Amino acid sequence: MTIRRITAVLGCLLWMGSMPVNAIAQSAAAWQAQQAAAEDKADKLLLMAKQQKGLLAQYRALMQGLADDDSPAFRMIFGQYLAWYASYIGDYPVAMRAFTIRQTLQPGDNASPLAQGGYVAQPALDAIPELAKNYQVVLLNEAHNIGMTRSLTVPLLSRLYAQGFRYFAAETLMESDTGLQARGYPTHDSGFYTEEPIYGEMVRTALKLGFKVIAYEATSNLSNPDAREAEQARHLYERVFAKDPHARLVINAGFDHIVKSGSYLGGRSMAEHLARLTDASMLSIDQTAMYPHPNSNGDHPYYTAAMQQEKPTEPIVFVDSKGKPWSLRPAYDVTVFFPPEKLERKRPTWLSLWGLREAHLVSGDGCRDHYPCLIEARYSNEGPDAIAADRLLLDQTPMAVSISGLAAYGSTQAVPSGDLYLRPGSYELSFTAEGDKVEHRETIQVP
């Protein structure tokens, strides 16, 4: 799959909701032309960056590309690319600042659960498995560059497995990685978003639990969004339900691929196409509307009120006395509210995956005074090709770019340090400087 194929559909959805104020006065045609030119330039820069050796060098090349062009259309599109790579190297605050979508009240949205009365906040980790008992398919979405929006899915998998779900499908997994199931962990060749450690942990967790992991991404050279959605649904049907009509399936996808009704990019969503191929009941869970933005002005007004009233420390959903969940939009069944983000030593604490992992302090001594330095932790029982369980970027002078708030983890310490978030177990740490040179390796035990 090419980068253009991935971004063409997602980008259409995001650009429309993110048009800069100074672009509104332009004609729609002029703005679309600027977007098209910006996408061409962004794709070329991304391909050039990918020629660099190692994630760190690729990320720095992307940072420079963003600094060299401050036009709104380019910043919007290329910011999305930079955000992906920022999440890949564990720089989640930058990933959020580089590309974010302001959440506003839309026509047709349901009234707030606080205003309706009768709804009670419940921990999402408890409520969602209980809701899922009556469904054959659970659909979970995410904002691809916002790792928080997939953090809940990882611990949910064990609870859904306990409910009898045995298939797990994830967007942009590559069917060409035929060894994924037997190997038990994702590699660089497993997919696109799997490069990000939390996404990799999601796939790894599904494999360890015993799920049959399904690649369902469209493989045809499709330029029509509806055709992509239809092919994704067809792959799911052929690889799951045609062989096992009573299969119980968990699907991870981006944004509105999982809406159950309404027009999606001029056609139907993957979920709608799948519903036409099977009679399976579907629970659709939106995780992309109610999360904290870098600036509170980007938060949905319902989110702000809910945080002030409930003060949650874990993801929550609202359920009424009859067991019916609340959703912001009718096309979904449930909306998840994530708590405000908390940073410790400049890393978000949601990296604990809501109790599965703990912070492990790591010194930059292994960087051998070569900065910026990327520290990666891989499970000792996995190969060196495995996607890291977590990555930490250390620098003595932050990599800066001319966009507000974007800078890597800098430090005034002579030897910087930071936290890796890890489950109990044995890990192989690597300390890599630019040029993909490993300066140091060591084994650690996390109790």
Side-chain angles (χ1 to χ4, degrees):
M1 176 187 299
T2 65
I3 296 299
R4 182 174 295 277
R5 182 107 42 77
I6 294 170
T7 59
V9 175
L10 177 60
C12 291
L13 175 65
L14 301 186
W15 298 344
M16 294 176 67
S18 311
M19 183 180 289
V21 173
N22 62 350
I24 295 175
Q26 303 177 48
S27 70
W31 178 237
Q32 289 173 1
Q34 290 179 27
Q35 291 175 0
E39 184 181 6
D40 285 339
K41 180 178 180 180
D43 283 351
K44 290 175 182 176
L45 287 172
L46 181 58
L47 290 174
M48 289 176 60
K50 287 174 72 67
Q51 301 305 310
Q52 301 292 319
K53 192 174 182 181
L55 275 176
L56 180 56
Q58 292 169 8
Y59 180 53
R60 296 193 77 186
L62 291 173
M63 276 282 206
Q64 186 59 52
L66 190 69
D68 290 343
D69 190 333
D70 62 359
S71 64
F74 180 77
R75 285 292 173 102
M76 182 183 303
I77 296 165
F78 197 65
Q80 182 179 337
Y81 293 5
L82 176 64
W84 291 337
Y85 273 76
S87 71
Y88 293 171
I89 65 170
D91 202 343
Y92 296 100
V94 167
M96 183 178 286
R97 289 182 182 276
F99 187 84
T100 189
I101 306 172
R102 183 183 181 189
Q103 298 296 326
T104 60
L105 194 61
Q106 301 291 324
D109 284 355
N110 291 318
S112 166
L114 306 184
Q116 293 186 53
Y119 282 100
V120 176
Q122 296 184 6
L125 267 173
D126 297 329
I128 289 175
E130 185 66 24
L131 293 168
K133 285 182 178 180
N134 301 319
Y135 292 88
Q136 195 173 346
V137 178
V138 170
L139 300 139
L140 293 148
N141 70 356
E142 62 170 53
H144 294 306
N145 68 299
I146 309 297
M148 175 186 275
T149 63
R150 64 176 68 106
S151 65
L152 176 64
T153 304
V154 182
L156 270 177
L157 287 174
S158 62
R159 306 203 183 192
L160 293 173
Y161 190 86
Q163 296 283 13
F165 290 86
R166 292 296 180 268
Y167 294 83
F168 174 73
E171 184 179 344
T172 75
L173 276 180
M174 303 294 190
E175 61 181 284
S176 57
D177 185 6
T178 57
L180 177 62
Q181 193 77 36
R183 190 174 58 245
Y185 61 85
T187 70
H188 298 293
D189 297 324
S190 295
F192 187 76
Y193 298 120
T194 43
E195 187 67 56
E196 191 275 310
I198 304 300
Y199 205 106
E201 190 71 4
M202 179 172 63
V203 174
R204 176 186 289 111
T205 298
L207 291 165
K208 287 184 176 180
L209 287 169
F211 281 94
K212 184 173 182 180
V213 174
I214 306 296
Y216 72 93
E217 187 55 68
T219 55
S220 302
N221 187 17
L222 303 174
S223 58
N224 181 289
D226 188 66
R228 180 194 179 200
E229 304 297 300
E231 185 172 335
Q232 287 181 331
R234 187 169 66 254
H235 286 165
L236 286 167
Y237 176 77
E238 293 170 351
R239 296 168 189 178
V240 179
F241 297 106
K243 300 175 180 179
D244 185 357
H246 302 291
R248 301 190 75 192
L249 168 67
V250 180
I251 302 174
N252 178 80
F255 296 99
D256 284 354
H257 290 298
I258 70 165
V259 292
K260 294 167 62 175
S261 61
S263 177
Y264 175 65
L265 296 179
R268 296 187 179 92
S269 70
M270 172 272 294
E272 289 181 276
H273 281 289
L274 184 60
R276 289 170 172 261
L277 296 173
T278 175
D279 293 329
S281 55
M282 298 183 183
L283 179 70
S284 181
I285 302 167
D286 181 21
Q287 302 186 100
T288 65
M290 301 294 181
Y291 65 85
H293 289 66
N295 188 314
S296 60
N297 290 335
D299 294 343
H300 195 283
Y302 293 178
Y303 177 83
T304 303
M307 294 304 103
Q308 291 174 349
Q309 175 173 303
E310 301 296 333
K311 298 178 174 57
T313 57
E314 61 182 319
I316 59 173
V317 298
F318 287 88
V319 182
D320 70 13
S321 59
K322 297 180 180 178
K324 181 182 178 181
W326 179 88
S327 67
L328 174 63
R329 299 186 174 107
Y332 298 103
D333 297 305
V334 189
T335 295
V336 174
F337 289 71
F338 288 91
E341 186 171 69
K342 179 182 179 183
L343 298 180
E344 291 186 359
R345 284 192 278 268
K346 300 184 179 180
R347 298 208 79 198
T349 57
W350 56 257
L351 284 169
S352 69
L353 302 180
W354 314 109
L356 290 183
R357 313 196 301 184
E358 292 190 359
H360 182 86
L361 183 62
V362 178
S363 167
D365 285 332
C367 297
R368 306 292 192 236
D369 291 326
H370 292 93
Y371 297 99
C373 176
L374 185 63
I375 305 174
E376 299 180 275
R378 290 180 172 83
Y379 291 94
S380 294
N381 62 353
E382 296 181 354
D385 59 342
I387 298 299
D390 195 14
R391 295 188 180 109
L392 170 66
L393 180 63
L394 293 180
D395 202 359
Q396 289 180 312
T397 55
M399 288 184 288
V401 66
S402 57
I403 187 170
S404 178
L406 264 71
Y409 303 124
S411 176
T412 57
Q413 300 170 272
V415 178
S417 61
D419 288 328
L420 287 168
Y421 280 80
L422 304 170
R423 300 183 193 231
S426 177
Y427 294 86
E428 304 299 319
L429 299 191
S430 62
F431 296 71
T432 305
E434 192 168 3
D436 215 26
K437 181 183 178 183
V438 177
E439 300 290 341
H440 175 67
R441 297 183 191 274
E442 64 182 75
T443 301
I444 64 168
Q445 296 288 333
V446 178

